[in-house]
Amino acid sequence: SWFKRTPPRLQSKDLEGVAAYIASGRCKNIVIMAGAGISRAAGIPDFRSQGGLYDVLRKWNIDVRRPEDIFTLSRFKEDPKPFYKLMSQLYGGSYRPTLTHSFFRLLDKRRVLNACWTQNVDNLECLAGLPARRLIEAHGTLDSQHCTSCGAKCDDRKMKHAVVTGDIPVCEKKGCGGFVKPDVVMFGESLPLKFWLNLPFLKRADLLIIVGTSLAVPPFSFIANWVPTSCPRVVINMEPVWGVGGRANDVEVLGDCDETVRRLAQLIGADWEAQLDALWKET
Ligand code: CNA
């Protein structure tokens, strides 16, 4: 069983080494940690890159002392307008998963994916076909919503209509009228139960792929330290990620994630790249 195996070691500390490890068949429990960077190619801005949501807020002169305030529950309850002004950006378009999302699906198809832990709320992992049992949406999802006052569920279409037309969605239950909020985790809220329940399984990880995230938001960022010390960790990101790089099996591949996962698939085998493209075309 998994705990009796000898600890994995990469042939080389680069993408070739990671590919050889996956191709060897010894790597069967890949854990992914994903962030907003993987959805940028879909046209969704991230938080902290240039041109990201934090820049947008500054440009709009939105009255928030810190950009994080907009995603803080107590502030939302006082005044949800800045949050919804920003949401209208996200709800306006229709988005298609990226090659990186399809790479996650490929790992699942090849039966080497243990779980994908994502901070994203855009639902693109689901649209790429990743089954719910493999997906942990640590910061919730924009795909459903509830009243912050009475907790009632709110209709999808009414919600999206309100947001796109610039209204604040309000609970329609008689006598309630509370503000409706998408089921995203705000600062000041606890993470979904699924996050906490899945933590013990991180001990099974035999490869950690950290992709498109600055890894700046705890407790999500802690996951990187909760895989076994011997577990190789590969960062696929535009910039180095704080806190990862010090372990013997850490690998850093800087650059665009779609390009990197394509190269990784190529290096594992031509059939992997072909299947990756086929899965992406399906989305
Ligand atoms: P972040 O802090 O904005 O970091 C994004 C990271 O991705 C940065 O380090 C970038 O260098 C990197 N990056 C950007 N483009 C690429 C690319 N093409 N290839 C590789 N790397 C790239 O975002 P995090 O996800 O780390 O921060 C966590 C927040 C952001 C979570 O709470 C999310 O809910 C929230 N968020 C989510 C979305 C979404 O659902 N798509 C969008 C914006 C923000």
Side-chain angles (χ1 to χ4, degrees):
S1 62
W2 58 272
F3 48 83
K4 283 185 195 143
R5 271 187 287 153
T6 49
R9 191 176 303 135
L10 297 179
Q11 280 170 17
S12 56
K13 283 183 35 164
D14 51 19
L15 205 61
E16 283 76 7
V18 175
Y21 175 43
I22 296 175
S24 76
R26 292 184 56 217
C27 172
K28 292 187 164 72
N29 278 296
I30 300 178
V31 169
I32 293 165
M33 288 175 74
I38 69 164
S39 294
R40 277 188 75 202
I44 303 175
D46 63 4
F47 273 178
R48 293 172 183 83
S49 292
Q50 236 187 342
L53 290 175
Y54 285 0
D55 270 357
V56 172
L57 291 177
R58 240 165 273 133
K59 228 174 282 162
W60 288 351
N61 287 320
I62 282 190
D63 181 25
V64 280
R65 269 168 291 152
R66 299 173 307 131
E68 285 83 4
D69 284 352
I70 215 173
F71 305 105
T72 300
L73 187 63
S74 53
R75 299 284 299 221
F76 176 90
K77 284 183 172 168
E78 281 164 24
D79 179 16
K81 265 194 248 75
F83 175 83
Y84 275 116
K85 186 162 181 195
L86 196 58
M87 280 304 106
S88 64
Q89 289 274 76
L90 289 178
Y91 278 119
S94 70
Y95 301 101
R96 184 187 164 194
T98 66
L99 200 69
T100 301
H101 292 99
S102 292
F103 183 72
F104 301 167
R105 173 83 176 113
L106 175 62
L107 293 177
D108 178 51
K109 283 247 171 198
R110 294 278 175 156
R111 299 186 182 282
V112 291
L113 182 67
N114 176 287
C116 171
W117 298 67
T118 186
Q119 297 163 93
N120 294 348
V121 294
D122 55 30
N123 202 36
L124 288 184
E125 295 88 356
C126 293
L127 288 181
L130 199 66
R133 66 174 189 285
R134 296 276 171 228
L135 182 63
I136 298 145
E137 291 173 310
H139 293 168
T141 175
L142 282 173
D143 213 38
S144 57
Q145 51 281 321
H146 288 87
C147 170
T148 52
S149 189
C150 75
K153 212 170 151 54
C154 170
D155 183 78
D156 283 357
R157 268 183 314 170
K158 278 186 197 142
M159 165 84 176
K160 274 168 198 161
H161 180 76
V163 173
V164 172
T165 53
D167 294 336
I168 309 279
V170 166
C171 182
E172 290 183 334
K173 255 180 115 179
K174 228 177 165 181
C176 179
F179 296 128
V180 172
K181 182 183 84 58
D183 296 337
V184 295
V185 178
M186 291 198 158
F187 294 109
E189 284 188 291
S190 63
L191 270 55
L193 195 58
K194 195 171 180 182
F195 176 90
W196 304 106
L197 290 179
N198 275 282
L199 291 177
F201 300 113
L202 288 169
K203 286 283 160 246
R204 292 186 183 174
D206 51 18
L207 175 66
L208 176 65
I209 300 177
I210 299 166
V211 54
T213 173
S214 62
L215 222 59
V217 182
F220 188 89
S221 55
F222 299 154
I223 295 170
N225 294 323
W226 290 339
V227 298
T229 324
S230 60
C231 172
R233 303 185 299 181
V234 53
V235 170
I236 299 175
N237 207 45
M238 292 299 259
E239 55 184 7
V241 161
W242 190 86
V244 183
R247 289 186 182 175
N249 275 332
D250 284 352
V251 176
E252 189 175 72
V253 188
L254 298 187
D256 173 66
C257 54
D258 286 353
E259 282 171 26
T260 303
V261 298
R262 173 174 294 285
R263 217 149 39 84
L264 180 55
Q266 264 167 12
L267 288 167
I268 302 170
D271 54 326
W272 278 62
E273 192 191 8
Q275 195 177 4
L276 175 61
D277 278 320
L279 288 172
W280 191 57
K281 277 198 197 102
E282 263 173 30
T283 62

